[in-house]
């Protein structure tokens, strides 16, 4: 176990000494049992937020209305959340207000899936009230309690089921999947931002293709933007560590719907720029990347466009590794490496400042990239006065 886990155990010890219960819960327990990297370790406790604050000298109210306090224990941060149940669910969404309770059992009951509803005590005892351990062994996602009831409480859980199966390579237990099929339309009640967050986690998953198949089988795909049923085979080889690559690939497959997709999933400005750059690079690759393409496009954009071509089963006549090699072998890597600037041009011509400077500098970059001149002031001056000016 990692550093954060150690901090969690120390915090649990301090809470217990103060006379309360505390355990590690949720995703951390699941990932620990799966031998996966544990990301954030959540501690749950019978102590109320105010009581937690009395135990630790340094705390931050990060989500006190939900019972979550960020404890800085010996300078190390860990989230501690009071055992709680959720209030009444309206419009198929999770409620804003929660009720604090003193029993762990009630806290575990409100969690979505059996694999997410376990706790682990300081001494290593696992509290598994719903068969989560067995479901981990059998690799299934199963709702805690009655699946239909749980999905009607919070429809996002339907998409979470699919995201977890994409991450873990698990199947969805039959009744749980049936319940999603019946109520898939309820996903419309969920804010698109939350849908996009789950999809973003899905893009980074190890089993995206399987996840998308489940998205279709569960009928959830009908309520999302993107033509998943017709394009499913084009996702077979998809694999990435970066969610924006998933969004970009979705846009490649649904080019005519770029704006619709961008709006539906609330793409940021940065995501939109990345996607446009990748699609442009992908198009450029259809003919051949020029020195200018290598020069003006970021490595990750070029590599992503390359991956797309592979996933689309196009013939690409070079290895992915050569992209970086070609880029590094360019005489200049960026505009500011050009050995001259606008002032040089003005000095050499005694012409006035104007838009011609940018034109000339762009031409100089191309001349350097193509090896018509070396990148030093002397050669560039020669090129400029003989070739550039005379050509005009
Ligand atoms: P990851 O952090 O990898 O996405 P996680 O299991 O930690 O996975 P979180 O969204 O961080 O997922 O939630 C932490 C825990 O809170 C879950 O393990 C689950 O027990 C509970 N939980 C989260 N969202 C819901 C929900 N919509 N309905 C019920 N329980 C939930
Ligand atoms: Mg988490």
């Amino acid at each position: 176990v990692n550093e954060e886990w150690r901090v969690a155990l120390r915090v649990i010890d301090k809470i217990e000494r103060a006379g309360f219960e505390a355990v590690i819960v949720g995703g951390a327990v699941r990932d620990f049992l799966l031998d996966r990297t544990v990301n954030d370790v959540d501690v749950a406790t019978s102590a109320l937020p105010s009581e937690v604050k009395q135990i630790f000298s340094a705390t931050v109210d990060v989500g006190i209305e939900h019972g979550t306090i960020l404890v800085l224990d010996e300078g190390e941060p860990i989230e501690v959340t009071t055992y709680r149940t959720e209030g009444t669910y309206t419009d198929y969404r999770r409620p804003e207000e929660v009720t604090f309770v003193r029993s762990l059992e009630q806290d575990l009951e409100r969690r979505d899936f059996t694999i997410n509803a376990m706790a682990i005590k300081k001494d290593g005892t696992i509290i598994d009230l719903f068969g989560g351990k067995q479901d981990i062994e059998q690799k299934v996602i199963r709702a805690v309690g009655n699946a239909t009831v749980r999905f009607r409480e919070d429809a996002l859980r339907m998409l979470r089921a699919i995201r977890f199966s994409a991450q873990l390579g698990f199947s969805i237990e039959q009744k749980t999947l049936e319940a999603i099929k019946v109520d898939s339309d309820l996903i419309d009640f969920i804010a698109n931002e939350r849908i996009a967050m789950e999809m973003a986690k899905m893009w980074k998953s190890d089993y995206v293709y399987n996840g998308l198949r489940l998205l279709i089988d569960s009928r959830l795909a009908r309520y999302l933007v993107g033509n998943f049923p017709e394009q499913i085979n084009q996702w077979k080889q998809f694999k990435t560590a970066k969610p924006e690559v998933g969004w970009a690939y979705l846009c490649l497959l649904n080019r005519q719907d770029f704006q619709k997709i961008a709006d539906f999933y609330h793409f940021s400005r940065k995501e939109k720029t990345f996607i446009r750059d990748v699609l442009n690079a992908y198009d450029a690759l259809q003919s051949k990347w020029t020195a200018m393409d290598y020069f003006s496009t970021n490595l990750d954009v070029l590599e992503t466009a390359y991956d797309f071509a592979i996933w689309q089963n196009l013939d690409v006549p070079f290895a992915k590794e050569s992209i970086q090699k070609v880029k590094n072998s360019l005489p200049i890597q960026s505009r500011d490496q050009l050995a001259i600037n606008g002032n040089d041009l003005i000095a050499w011509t005694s012409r006035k400042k104007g838009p011609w400077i940018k034109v000339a500098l762009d031409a100089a970059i191309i001349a350097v990239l193509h090896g018509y001149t070396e990148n030093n002031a002397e050669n560039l001056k020669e090129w400029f006065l003989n070739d550039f000016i005379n050509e005009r």
Side-chain angles (χ1 to χ4, degrees), residues 244-264:
E244 61 270 28
V245 172
W247 297 125
Y249 196 61
L250 183 67
C251 290
L252 176 80
L253 300 183
N254 299 275
R255 270 196 144 167
Q256 67 296 345
D257 291 332
F258 175 81
Q259 203 50 53
K260 213 169 129 192
I261 295 172
D263 292 344
F264 185 86

Side-chain angles (χ1 to χ4, degrees), residues 26-28 30-31 39-42 160 163-164 201:
R30 175 198 68 220
D31 292 339
N39 291 318
D40 27 48
V41 180
D42 295 318
R160 281 172 61 87
R163 185 261 287 188
F164 284 118
K201 286 186 177 176

Side-chain angles (χ1 to χ4, degrees), residues 29-31 33-34 114-115 118 131-140 170:
V29 181
R30 175 198 68 220
D31 292 339
L33 292 174
L34 279 164
T114 60
I115 61 166
M118 289 179 279
K133 230 175 142 184
Q134 189 182 332
D135 285 342
I136 282 187
E137 276 152 24
Q138 299 183 347
K139 298 181 171 242
V140 290
F170 282 24

Side-chain angles (χ1 to χ4, degrees), residues 25-31 36-37 39-42 79 84 86 89 94 107-118 144 150 153-158 160 163-164 167-168 194 197-198 201:
V25 275
V29 181
R30 175 198 68 220
D31 292 339
R36 288 169 66 94
T37 346
N39 291 318
D40 27 48
V41 180
D42 295 318
E79 278 191 1
R84 64 184 205 211
E86 298 187 336
Y89 300 83
R94 282 176 103 182
D107 183 90
L108 295 177
E109 257 173 16
R110 59 129 181 131
R111 295 174 185 269
D112 46 7
F113 305 109
T114 60
I115 61 166
N116 287 347
M118 289 179 279
V144 170
R150 303 312 309 283
E153 285 173 355
D154 175 6
L156 185 71
R157 290 170 184 158
M158 300 189 290
R160 281 172 61 87
R163 185 261 287 188
F164 284 118
Q167 283 180 326
L168 306 173
R194 295 179 72 202
M197 278 166 68
E198 292 302 321
K201 286 186 177 176

